[in-house]
């Protein structure tokens, strides 16, 4: 606060104590009268030196305000909002900013900015896209329109956002390697066993490109897709990823990612943990040749499982119960795999691997429940085919005899006019035999059964990660189309996943990622007047976050300077 002298049209000077602040919309400096004092020519009869006296009063008022932490605000009830104005801003992003800068992402992008001719603010653009992907997943345009929600310098044109995507793509590999090194240094990283899986993301357009192809999309949208192979460390923290053509088989994606991992990340022996979609002779052979190991699930039912394997699973001899949770047995036996030689011809090779089978009552109940749902849908298809959409038909169709499904149109037709469609009771009875049984094969012949199972159970981390990517982060559908744009988009999504997983780790997994995102999204402040803000939300999740990572989101009233200081603190290096 300071003393202001206003010269009126009649020549008289009016004194008042005013306070400076920055308008949150226009960003321009403004003033507001705190106390009117009177005309100088009248005050001179009361005070020897009104200017000196009231300058000291203004100084004391400032000191008292800072000491007492109490202010009096005057609100103009006649004040109106301008179109498009919003007095709500997010401060939950401070938790994300803390990790973003802790990992050195800002340093990485700022260094890359310096070599660009078009002066793209890569660091600020990436921050905006990552914060929005986590707190308000939306298109690049919508993210840009939301840039004023944050206490950050996001003052750049929309075109810069789109131009930055291929630049992000260009630096992907170096960024991921730098992040790996920083994570290893800051938190330690255990890559003794890694988790790998593949999922796909569909696009909002029907046109295919070299990369975006129609394939076996897990969500059955019928749209062209792109596949992502994702690798996590033992703690479930993302390491790296690769994008593949939408029509590439899952088991062909592991080798490129693992080759890149070993070459660029200087890793020692790793054990790859993956689902049965990656269980191929080539993948097994590659791991063995490179001195690595594998833990893969394998089928125990259907045509993919041999009669010998099915008989071993159902034979009660050799099982031992582990508490009341599950029973287990294992054997080491020679397995024939098919690999390709130097001339790319298939060759049969014998290897020894450990075969573990376990049975769980809980898994049996879950399997039966899922099959019962499919059977119920199959009965609905038989009775009234037109009621069901194409995307819902696939799981139920295998339980129906006498009905065909056109995969292109989704139309259901009777296979033979002389055969009435009915349930395949034989298939249902056959599947019931194997409810609750699960099978794993591994190269680790000397590893105890319980340890193999424990490592395999960690695979849920990657399944949950993909779920977060598709639900909370809404990575799909993708709206970008160029190769650089696609890579840039998925890089921002990967970095968002990385920040969330590290935040989850730093908060010791007490709350789910979904609850953390919800809490950070609701952590907003509303503008009151003259650079003063009021916080609108606080919860146990935010209290725990504050305690674990050092943010202070519990203060009810904040000045703009205090918020700027809080933002600055998140950018300090460890």
């Amino acid at each position: 606060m300071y003393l202001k002298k206003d010269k009126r049209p009649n020549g008289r000077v009016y004194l008042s104590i005013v306070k400076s602040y920055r308008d949150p919309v226009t960003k321009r400096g403004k003033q507001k009268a705190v106390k009117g004092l009177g005309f100088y020519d009248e005050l001179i009869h009361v005070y020897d030196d009104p200017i000196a006296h009231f300058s000291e009063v203004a100084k004391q008022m400032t000191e008292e305000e800072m000491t007492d932490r109490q202010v009096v605000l005057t609100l103009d009830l006649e004040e109106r909002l301008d179109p498009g104005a919003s007095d709500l801003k997010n401060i939950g992003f401070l938790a994300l900013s803390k990790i973003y800068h802790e990992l050195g992402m800002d340093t990485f992008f700022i260094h890359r900015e310096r070599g660009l001719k078009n002066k793209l603010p890569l660091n600020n653009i990436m921050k905006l896209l990552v914060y929005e992907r986590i707190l308000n997943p939306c298109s690049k345009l919508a993210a840009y329109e939301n840039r004023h929600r944050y206490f950050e310098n996001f003052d750049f044109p929309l075109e810069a956002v789109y131009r930055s995507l291929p630049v992000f793509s260009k630096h992907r590999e170096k960024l991921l390697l730098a992040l790996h090194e920083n994570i290893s240094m800051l938190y330690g990283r255990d890559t003794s066993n890694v988790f790998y899986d593949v999922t796909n993301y569909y696009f909002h357009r029907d046109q295919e490109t070299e990369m975006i192809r129609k394939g076996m999309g897990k969500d059955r949208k019928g749209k062209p897709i792109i596949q992502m192979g994702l690798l996590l460390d033992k703690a479930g923290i993302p390491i790296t990823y690769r994008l593949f053509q939408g029509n590439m088989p899952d088991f062909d994606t592991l080798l490129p990612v693992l080759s890149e991992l070993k070459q660029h990340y200087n890793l020692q022996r790793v054990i790859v943990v993956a689902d049965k979609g990656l269980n191929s002779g080539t993948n097994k052979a590659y791991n063995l040749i490179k001195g690595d190991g594998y833990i893969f699930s394998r089928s125990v039912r259907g045509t993919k499982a041999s009669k010998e394997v099915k008989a071993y699973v159902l034979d009660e001899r050799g099982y031992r119960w582990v508490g009341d949770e599950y029973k287990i047995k294992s054997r080491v036996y020679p397995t024939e795999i098919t690999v390709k030689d130097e001339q790319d011809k298939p060759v049969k090779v014998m290897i020894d691997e450990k075969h573990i089978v376990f049975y769980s009552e809980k898994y049996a109940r879950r399997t039966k429940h899922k099959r019962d749902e499919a059977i119920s849908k199959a009965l609905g298809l038989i009775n009234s085919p037109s009621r069901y959409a194409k995307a819902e038909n696939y799981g139920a169709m295998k339980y129906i005899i006498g009905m065909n499904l056109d995969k292109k149109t989704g139309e259901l037709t009777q296979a033979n006019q002389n055969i009435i469609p009915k349930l395949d009771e034989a298939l249902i009875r056959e599947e019931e035999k194997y409810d609750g049984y699960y099978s794993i094969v591994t190269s680790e012949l000397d590893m105890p059964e319980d340890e193999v199972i424990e490592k395999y159970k960690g695979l849920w981390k990657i399944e949950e990660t993909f779920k977060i990517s598709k639900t909370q982060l809404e990575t799909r559908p993708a709206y970008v189309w160029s190769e650089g744009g696609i890579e840039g988009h998925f890089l921002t999504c990967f970095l968002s996943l990385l920040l969330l997983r590290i935040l989850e780790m730093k908060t010791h997994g007490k709350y789910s990622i979904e609850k953390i995102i919800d809490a950070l999204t609701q952590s907003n402040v509303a503008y009151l007047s003259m650079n003063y803000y009021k916080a609108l939300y606080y919860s146990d999740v935010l209290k725990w976050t504050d305690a674990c990572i050092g943010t202070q989101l519990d203060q009810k009233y904040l000045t703009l300077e205090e918020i700027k200081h809080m933002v600055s603190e998140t950018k300090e290096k460890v």
Side-chain angles (χ1 to χ4, degrees), residues 200-426:
N200 47 63
Y201 300 89
Y202 67 90
F203 286 72
H204 79 296
R205 295 166 64 175
D206 292 322
Q207 296 95 323
E208 293 183 89
T209 68
E210 182 65 26
M211 196 73 173
I212 308 166
R213 310 295 284 270
K214 290 188 177 181
M216 291 300 294
K218 294 179 175 63
D219 33 37
R220 309 290 186 183
K221 296 288 183 180
K223 298 285 187 180
I225 60 175
I226 198 166
Q227 298 200 87
M228 174 191 277
L230 181 64
L231 205 65
L232 307 185
D233 65 17
K234 189 175 181 179
I237 307 297
I239 303 174
T240 189
Y241 73 96
R242 280 282 299 274
L243 299 180
F244 300 96
Q245 289 178 315
N247 58 357
M248 179 179 285
D250 286 1
F251 54 78
D252 284 346
T253 67
L254 176 60
L255 299 188
V257 175
L258 203 55
S259 297
E260 178 184 290
L261 181 76
K262 296 282 285 187
Q263 178 182 355
H264 297 299
Y265 292 73
N266 193 29
L267 299 184
Q268 304 303 312
R269 186 176 190 271
V270 298
I271 300 174
V272 179
V273 184
D275 218 332
K276 54 180 173 285
L278 283 301
N279 186 349
S280 71
T282 302
N283 287 336
K284 290 178 180 180
Y286 177 84
N287 281 279
L288 295 175
I289 292 170
K290 295 293 183 180
D292 296 321
Y294 61 84
I295 298 175
F296 294 148
S297 64
R298 67 172 299 171
S299 300
V300 296
R301 67 179 75 202
T303 57
K304 292 185 178 180
S306 67
K307 291 182 179 179
E308 193 277 334
V309 168
K310 290 180 178 180
Y312 178 71
V313 168
L314 297 178
D315 187 348
E316 287 296 322
R317 290 176 297 179
Y319 279 108
R320 63 178 177 86
W321 279 94
V322 179
D324 296 328
E325 187 178 354
Y326 60 88
K327 63 180 180 180
I328 184 172
K329 69 176 180 178
S330 66
R331 61 179 178 171
V332 174
Y333 75 120
T335 303
E336 185 179 76
I337 62 173
T338 302
V339 297
K340 292 184 178 180
D341 60 16
E342 295 178 355
Q343 284 74 43
D344 204 33
K345 294 181 179 179
V347 177
K348 302 289 185 181
V349 178
M350 296 298 296
I351 62 170
D352 284 338
E353 65 180 1
K354 193 170 191 174
H355 180 198
I356 300 173
V357 180
F358 64 92
Y359 170 87
S360 164
E361 284 284 356
K362 183 178 179 180
Y363 181 50
R365 290 192 297 269
R366 187 172 65 193
T367 304
K368 183 179 184 305
H369 176 72
K370 290 178 68 175
R371 184 175 55 252
D372 287 347
E373 286 183 333
I375 291 172
S376 175
K377 190 173 291 184
L379 288 170
L381 287 170
I382 292 171
N383 296 326
S384 51
S386 61
R387 289 177 54 199
Y388 290 83
K390 173 183 175 182
E392 300 174 323
N393 296 334
Y394 292 91
M397 280 299 298
K398 74 172 184 176
Y399 295 110
I400 302 176
I401 297 174
M403 184 177 281
N404 292 332
L405 170 67
D406 188 321
K407 293 184 178 181
K408 291 185 177 180
T409 65
E411 183 182 2
L412 292 167
T413 58
Q414 195 167 325
N416 189 315
Q417 295 300 320
N418 299 319
I419 301 177
I420 299 174
K422 62 179 181 179
L423 288 178
D424 190 340
E425 297 288 350

